[in-house]
Amino acid sequence: QQQVKQSPQSLIVQKGGISIINCAYENTAFDYFPWYQQFPGKGPALLIAIRPDVSEKKEGRFTISFNKSAKQFSLHIMDSQPGDSATYFCAASSPSNTGKLIFGQGTTLQVKP
Amino acid sequence: DSGVTQTPKHLITATGQRVTLRCSPRSGDLSVYWYQQSLDQGLQFLIQYYNGEERAKGNILERFSAQQFPDLHSELNLSSLELGDSALYFCASSVLAGQETQYFGPGTRLLVL
């Protein structure tokens, strides 16, 4: 019940295309859903995050869509660029006095020029 | 640069040995988290410390231990090392203990031979 399932494992998109990464969870107590971006040789960095009181959050070319009833959320990267090539992790946490994050398995995105 | 530093960057050791990984959080951050990243397990939460005290525990083996010192730096001790402990170990920090942005360090790559 603590798992977050992420798909696809890898994704190849042409420059200018839309990249879509999906995550699903089971624990209905989760109420914070961040996405982290990781470049080779670097640590993950927060990209964007959402809480279940909204169905969508947009920051620049990055949008999170959230479906509470389906217990799913997704990351959309519009106008994908070669510089977006990285590994993306969705994560979740439940309300508590800790920041413990449960991560998905990650998606390696390659954007071809 | 996230402001989180980790040393060493790389560590090669033998089975049965003990190693210590060190993390200095961002200035002002009170929470330190440790995560293990391996190819088959993804990013796994190990343990969180807040202002010197253990706040949350995850999938941390009994052979592993951690502490946070009064100056807020943290150390992760791994003992009786096994081949399967080979992984990237990340430290992250956040201002407080809850659902906030976690800033990840560059990681320590551990190879157990």
Side-chain angles (χ1 to χ4, degrees):
Chain A
Q1 202 180 22
Q2 284 291 314
Q3 280 188 322
V4 176
K5 295 184 180 179
Q6 183 172 345
S7 63
Q9 191 173 355
S10 62
L11 184 60
I12 300 174
V13 172
Q14 294 286 12
K15 178 183 174 181
I18 302 174
S19 304
I20 302 174
I21 304 170
N22 301 298
C23 285
Y25 63 97
E26 295 180 359
N27 187 351
T28 54
F30 286 152
D31 73 338
Y32 175 64
F33 302 90
W35 284 88
Y36 279 80
Q37 179 188 53
Q38 183 180 26
F39 292 104
K42 304 287 186 183
L46 179 68
L47 189 62
I48 187 172
I50 197 169
R51 294 191 183 272
D53 53 342
V54 297
S55 60
E56 187 175 282
K57 183 174 181 180
K58 185 176 180 179
E59 288 186 4
R61 296 183 294 108
F62 300 91
T63 299
I64 301 179
S65 298
F66 188 84
N67 186 329
K68 189 173 181 178
S69 61
K71 291 184 285 186
Q72 294 175 348
F73 58 110
S74 59
L75 176 70
H76 296 235
I77 306 174
M78 312 299 288
D79 187 27
S80 298
Q81 299 296 313
D84 297 330
S85 298
T87 301
Y88 293 81
F89 293 93
C90 62
S93 75
S94 54
S96 66
N97 61 353
T98 87
K100 171 183 174 180
L101 288 173
I102 307 298
F103 281 92
Q105 287 293 95
T107 297
T108 301
L109 170 66
Q110 182 184 358
V111 181
K112 291 196 166 182
Chain B
D1 184 2
S2 67
V4 178
T5 60
Q6 289 187 249
T7 56
K9 285 189 177 180
H10 303 277
L11 201 46
I12 301 175
T13 188
T15 55
Q17 295 298 304
R18 171 190 166 97
V19 296
T20 297
L21 312 184
R22 182 188 168 103
C23 168
S24 292
R26 292 187 327 152
S27 176
D29 285 1
L30 297 177
S31 266
V32 169
Y33 308 78
W34 287 98
Y35 292 88
Q36 179 191 58
Q37 185 176 35
S38 58
L39 282 174
D40 56 341
Q41 295 289 324
L43 266 167
Q44 297 278 314
F45 169 77
L46 295 178
I47 198 164
Q48 176 193 4
Y49 278 83
Y50 175 70
N51 204 20
E53 300 209 352
E54 182 183 305
R55 181 58 68 99
K57 218 167 186 176
N59 300 321
I60 187 166
L61 300 171
E62 284 193 12
R63 301 183 285 107
F64 296 1
S65 65
Q67 54 183 327
Q68 186 180 26
F69 295 87
D71 67 352
L72 301 177
H73 90 271
S74 177
E75 292 181 356
L76 179 67
N77 300 296
L78 316 177
S79 61
S80 303
L81 285 166
E82 301 176 0
L83 296 178
D85 297 327
S86 296
L88 261 171
Y89 291 85
F90 286 105
C91 166
S93 72
S94 66
V95 176
L96 298 174
Q99 294 172 334
E100 305 175 299
T101 301
Q102 293 183 23
Y103 296 88
F104 282 74
T108 292
R109 184 174 293 278
L110 173 66
L111 180 59
V112 183
L113 299 175

